[in-house]
mmCIF file of all heavy atoms in Angstrom:
data_model
loop_
_atom_site.group_PDB
_atom_site.id
_atom_site.type_symbol
_atom_site.label_atom_id
_atom_site.label_comp_id
_atom_site.label_asym_id
_atom_site.label_seq_id
_atom_site.Cartn_x
_atom_site.Cartn_y
_atom_site.Cartn_z
ATOM 1 N N LEU A 29 32.824 -71.366 -24.603
ATOM 2 C CA LEU A 29 33.812 -71.294 -25.690
ATOM 3 C C LEU A 29 34.268 -72.703 -26.105
ATOM 4 O O LEU A 29 34.409 -72.958 -27.281
ATOM 5 C CB LEU A 29 34.997 -70.408 -25.282
ATOM 6 C CG LEU A 29 34.692 -68.931 -25.074
ATOM 7 C CD1 LEU A 29 35.903 -68.162 -24.604
ATOM 8 C CD2 LEU A 29 34.164 -68.305 -26.419
ATOM 9 N N ASP A 30 34.455 -73.560 -25.109
ATOM 10 C CA ASP A 30 34.790 -74.969 -25.448
ATOM 11 C C ASP A 30 33.691 -75.611 -26.298
ATOM 12 O O ASP A 30 33.963 -76.323 -27.258
ATOM 13 C CB ASP A 30 35.016 -75.771 -24.144
ATOM 14 C CG ASP A 30 36.382 -75.561 -23.485
ATOM 15 O OD1 ASP A 30 37.243 -74.903 -24.108
ATOM 16 O OD2 ASP A 30 36.517 -75.963 -22.312
ATOM 17 N N ARG A 31 32.464 -75.334 -25.846
ATOM 18 C CA ARG A 31 31.324 -75.951 -26.578
ATOM 19 C C ARG A 31 31.269 -75.497 -28.073
ATOM 20 O O ARG A 31 30.829 -76.256 -28.927
ATOM 21 C CB ARG A 31 30.029 -75.452 -25.862
ATOM 22 C CG ARG A 31 28.796 -76.141 -26.339
ATOM 23 C CD ARG A 31 27.660 -75.809 -25.381
ATOM 24 N NE ARG A 31 27.021 -74.601 -25.674
ATOM 25 C CZ ARG A 31 25.666 -74.467 -25.866
ATOM 26 N NH1 ARG A 31 24.930 -75.513 -25.769
ATOM 27 N NH2 ARG A 31 25.180 -73.279 -26.163
ATOM 28 N N MET A 32 31.775 -74.301 -28.313
ATOM 29 C CA MET A 32 31.764 -73.758 -29.677
ATOM 30 C C MET A 32 33.091 -73.992 -30.411
ATOM 31 O O MET A 32 33.292 -73.582 -31.525
ATOM 32 C CB MET A 32 31.478 -72.245 -29.673
ATOM 33 C CG MET A 32 30.063 -71.913 -29.263
ATOM 34 S SD MET A 32 28.888 -72.442 -30.596
ATOM 35 C CE MET A 32 28.141 -73.823 -29.817
ATOM 36 N N GLY A 33 34.001 -74.764 -29.776
ATOM 37 C CA GLY A 33 35.231 -75.199 -30.459
ATOM 38 C C GLY A 33 36.422 -74.322 -30.250
ATOM 39 O O GLY A 33 37.424 -74.493 -30.867
ATOM 40 N N PHE A 34 36.333 -73.353 -29.323
ATOM 41 C CA PHE A 34 37.497 -72.523 -29.020
ATOM 42 C C PHE A 34 38.199 -73.009 -27.799
ATOM 43 O O PHE A 34 37.605 -73.114 -26.721
ATOM 44 C CB PHE A 34 37.022 -71.057 -28.780
ATOM 45 C CG PHE A 34 36.363 -70.401 -29.924
ATOM 46 C CD1 PHE A 34 34.980 -70.328 -30.008
ATOM 47 C CD2 PHE A 34 37.131 -69.838 -30.940
ATOM 48 C CE1 PHE A 34 34.351 -69.714 -31.102
ATOM 49 C CE2 PHE A 34 36.545 -69.222 -32.038
ATOM 50 C CZ PHE A 34 35.107 -69.144 -32.093
ATOM 51 N N PRO A 35 39.455 -73.270 -27.913
ATOM 52 C CA PRO A 35 40.219 -73.714 -26.722
ATOM 53 C C PRO A 35 40.268 -72.543 -25.704
ATOM 54 O O PRO A 35 40.546 -71.411 -26.089
ATOM 55 C CB PRO A 35 41.608 -74.064 -27.211
ATOM 56 C CG PRO A 35 41.754 -73.300 -28.496
ATOM 57 C CD PRO A 35 40.352 -73.149 -29.065
ATOM 58 N N ALA A 36 39.905 -72.811 -24.479
ATOM 59 C CA ALA A 36 39.821 -71.770 -23.478
ATOM 60 C C ALA A 36 40.284 -72.270 -22.100
ATOM 61 O O ALA A 36 40.049 -73.402 -21.765
ATOM 62 C CB ALA A 36 38.390 -71.233 -23.401
ATOM 63 N N SER A 37 40.956 -71.335 -21.371
ATOM 64 C CA SER A 37 41.417 -71.647 -20.016
ATOM 65 C C SER A 37 41.156 -70.477 -19.105
ATOM 66 O O SER A 37 41.300 -69.334 -19.524
ATOM 67 C CB SER A 37 42.973 -71.887 -20.009
ATOM 68 O OG SER A 37 43.350 -72.908 -20.880
ATOM 69 N N VAL A 38 40.727 -70.797 -17.863
ATOM 70 C CA VAL A 38 40.605 -69.756 -16.843
ATOM 71 C C VAL A 38 42.011 -69.561 -16.276
ATOM 72 O O VAL A 38 42.683 -70.528 -15.905
ATOM 73 C CB VAL A 38 39.606 -70.189 -15.788
ATOM 74 C CG1 VAL A 38 39.584 -69.125 -14.628
ATOM 75 C CG2 VAL A 38 38.214 -70.349 -16.364
ATOM 76 N N VAL A 39 42.440 -68.348 -16.219
ATOM 77 C CA VAL A 39 43.775 -68.016 -15.731
ATOM 78 C C VAL A 39 43.725 -68.059 -14.188
ATOM 79 O O VAL A 39 43.043 -67.288 -13.527
ATOM 80 C CB VAL A 39 44.247 -66.613 -16.167
ATOM 81 C CG1 VAL A 39 45.629 -66.297 -15.583
ATOM 82 C CG2 VAL A 39 44.265 -66.521 -17.702
ATOM 83 N N PRO A 40 44.481 -69.018 -13.600
ATOM 84 C CA PRO A 40 44.454 -69.196 -12.140
ATOM 85 C C PRO A 40 45.401 -68.198 -11.447
ATOM 86 O O PRO A 40 46.562 -68.142 -11.795
ATOM 87 C CB PRO A 40 44.927 -70.641 -11.929
ATOM 88 C CG PRO A 40 45.799 -70.901 -13.085
ATOM 89 C CD PRO A 40 45.296 -70.068 -14.264
ATOM 90 N N GLY A 41 44.863 -67.471 -10.556
ATOM 91 C CA GLY A 41 45.710 -66.558 -9.769
ATOM 92 C C GLY A 41 46.449 -65.497 -10.539
ATOM 93 O O GLY A 41 47.523 -65.024 -10.107
ATOM 94 N N GLY A 42 45.980 -65.177 -11.721
ATOM 95 C CA GLY A 42 46.609 -64.111 -12.491
ATOM 96 C C GLY A 42 47.891 -64.501 -13.232
ATOM 97 O O GLY A 42 48.590 -63.631 -13.736
ATOM 98 N N ASP A 43 48.267 -65.802 -13.287
ATOM 99 C CA ASP A 43 49.491 -66.221 -13.935
ATOM 100 C C ASP A 43 49.154 -67.151 -15.069
ATOM 101 O O ASP A 43 48.789 -68.318 -14.845
ATOM 102 C CB ASP A 43 50.395 -66.915 -12.923
ATOM 103 C CG ASP A 43 51.774 -67.230 -13.543
ATOM 104 O OD1 ASP A 43 51.997 -66.862 -14.692
ATOM 105 O OD2 ASP A 43 52.563 -67.853 -12.825
ATOM 106 N N PRO A 44 49.289 -66.697 -16.342
ATOM 107 C CA PRO A 44 48.975 -67.563 -17.487
ATOM 108 C C PRO A 44 50.081 -68.549 -17.853
ATOM 109 O O PRO A 44 49.922 -69.343 -18.769
ATOM 110 C CB PRO A 44 48.747 -66.566 -18.599
ATOM 111 C CG PRO A 44 49.660 -65.413 -18.266
ATOM 112 C CD PRO A 44 49.675 -65.374 -16.759
ATOM 113 N N LYS A 45 51.200 -68.557 -17.182
ATOM 114 C CA LYS A 45 52.287 -69.477 -17.525
ATOM 115 C C LYS A 45 51.839 -70.898 -17.433
ATOM 116 O O LYS A 45 51.149 -71.282 -16.495
ATOM 117 C CB LYS A 45 53.507 -69.272 -16.618
ATOM 118 C CG LYS A 45 54.200 -67.990 -16.903
ATOM 119 C CD LYS A 45 55.488 -67.884 -16.120
ATOM 120 C CE LYS A 45 56.173 -66.579 -16.531
ATOM 121 N NZ LYS A 45 57.410 -66.375 -15.818
ATOM 122 N N GLY A 46 52.164 -71.664 -18.456
ATOM 123 C CA GLY A 46 51.808 -73.067 -18.486
ATOM 124 C C GLY A 46 50.464 -73.379 -19.094
ATOM 125 O O GLY A 46 50.099 -74.520 -19.273
ATOM 126 N N LEU A 47 49.665 -72.312 -19.387
ATOM 127 C CA LEU A 47 48.379 -72.535 -19.975
ATOM 128 C C LEU A 47 48.558 -72.744 -21.520
ATOM 129 O O LEU A 47 49.469 -72.136 -22.140
ATOM 130 C CB LEU A 47 47.457 -71.349 -19.772
ATOM 131 C CG LEU A 47 46.978 -71.161 -18.348
ATOM 132 C CD1 LEU A 47 46.073 -69.936 -18.269
ATOM 133 C CD2 LEU A 47 46.224 -72.408 -17.840
ATOM 134 N N PRO A 48 47.691 -73.544 -22.090
ATOM 135 C CA PRO A 48 47.819 -73.759 -23.552
ATOM 136 C C PRO A 48 47.370 -72.542 -24.299
ATOM 137 O O PRO A 48 46.681 -71.698 -23.766
ATOM 138 C CB PRO A 48 46.842 -74.958 -23.783
ATOM 139 C CG PRO A 48 45.882 -74.886 -22.663
ATOM 140 C CD PRO A 48 46.625 -74.339 -21.484
ATOM 141 N N PRO A 49 47.791 -72.401 -25.571
ATOM 142 C CA PRO A 49 47.308 -71.294 -26.382
ATOM 143 C C PRO A 49 45.774 -71.374 -26.496
ATOM 144 O O PRO A 49 45.159 -72.340 -26.303
ATOM 145 C CB PRO A 49 47.948 -71.557 -27.763
ATOM 146 C CG PRO A 49 49.087 -72.470 -27.486
ATOM 147 C CD PRO A 49 48.725 -73.284 -26.242
ATOM 148 N N GLY A 50 45.212 -70.223 -26.777
ATOM 149 C CA GLY A 50 43.745 -70.143 -26.965
ATOM 150 C C GLY A 50 43.236 -68.968 -26.129
ATOM 151 O O GLY A 50 43.977 -68.024 -25.818
ATOM 152 N N ALA A 51 41.939 -69.019 -25.868
ATOM 153 C CA ALA A 51 41.325 -67.913 -25.082
ATOM 154 C C ALA A 51 41.769 -68.069 -23.629
ATOM 155 O O ALA A 51 41.777 -69.169 -23.072
ATOM 156 C CB ALA A 51 39.788 -68.029 -25.180
ATOM 157 N N HIS A 52 42.160 -66.915 -23.063
ATOM 158 C CA HIS A 52 42.481 -66.867 -21.614
ATOM 159 C C HIS A 52 41.436 -66.038 -20.987
ATOM 160 O O HIS A 52 41.185 -64.876 -21.380
ATOM 161 C CB HIS A 52 43.885 -66.307 -21.397
ATOM 162 C CG HIS A 52 44.983 -67.257 -21.799
ATOM 163 N ND1 HIS A 52 46.308 -66.925 -21.771
ATOM 164 C CD2 HIS A 52 44.923 -68.561 -22.213
ATOM 165 C CE1 HIS A 52 47.031 -67.979 -22.164
ATOM 166 N NE2 HIS A 52 46.213 -68.940 -22.429
ATOM 167 N N ILE A 53 40.788 -66.607 -19.978
ATOM 168 C CA ILE A 53 39.735 -65.910 -19.263
ATOM 169 C C ILE A 53 40.254 -65.525 -17.895
ATOM 170 O O ILE A 53 40.532 -66.374 -17.086
ATOM 171 C CB ILE A 53 38.496 -66.886 -19.148
ATOM 172 C CG1 ILE A 53 38.114 -67.417 -20.503
ATOM 173 C CG2 ILE A 53 37.356 -66.174 -18.443
ATOM 174 C CD1 ILE A 53 37.316 -68.682 -20.444
ATOM 175 N N TRP A 54 40.421 -64.233 -17.709
ATOM 176 C CA TRP A 54 41.034 -63.669 -16.547
ATOM 177 C C TRP A 54 40.001 -63.347 -15.473
ATOM 178 O O TRP A 54 38.965 -62.700 -15.754
ATOM 179 C CB TRP A 54 41.807 -62.403 -16.876
ATOM 180 C CG TRP A 54 42.978 -62.590 -17.759
ATOM 181 C CD1 TRP A 54 42.906 -62.802 -19.121
ATOM 182 C CD2 TRP A 54 44.315 -62.677 -17.392
ATOM 183 N NE1 TRP A 54 44.198 -62.932 -19.598
ATOM 184 C CE2 TRP A 54 45.051 -62.882 -18.551
ATOM 185 C CE3 TRP A 54 44.993 -62.578 -16.169
ATOM 186 C CZ2 TRP A 54 46.444 -63.018 -18.556
ATOM 187 C CZ3 TRP A 54 46.391 -62.723 -16.195
ATOM 188 C CH2 TRP A 54 47.113 -62.891 -17.335
#
């Protein structure tokens, strides 16, 4: 997703707090 220009974050430990907007990968 990053390669294609979509901001993405892996959700650590099931808590998305503090992650930037974009795709959240659970």
Side-chain angles (χ1 to χ4, degrees):
L29 292 177
D30 282 347
R31 188 168 87 125
M32 289 292 107
F34 297 99
S37 303
V38 174
V39 179
D43 186 4
K45 287 187 179 181
L47 291 179
H52 288 175
I53 307 158
W54 295 79

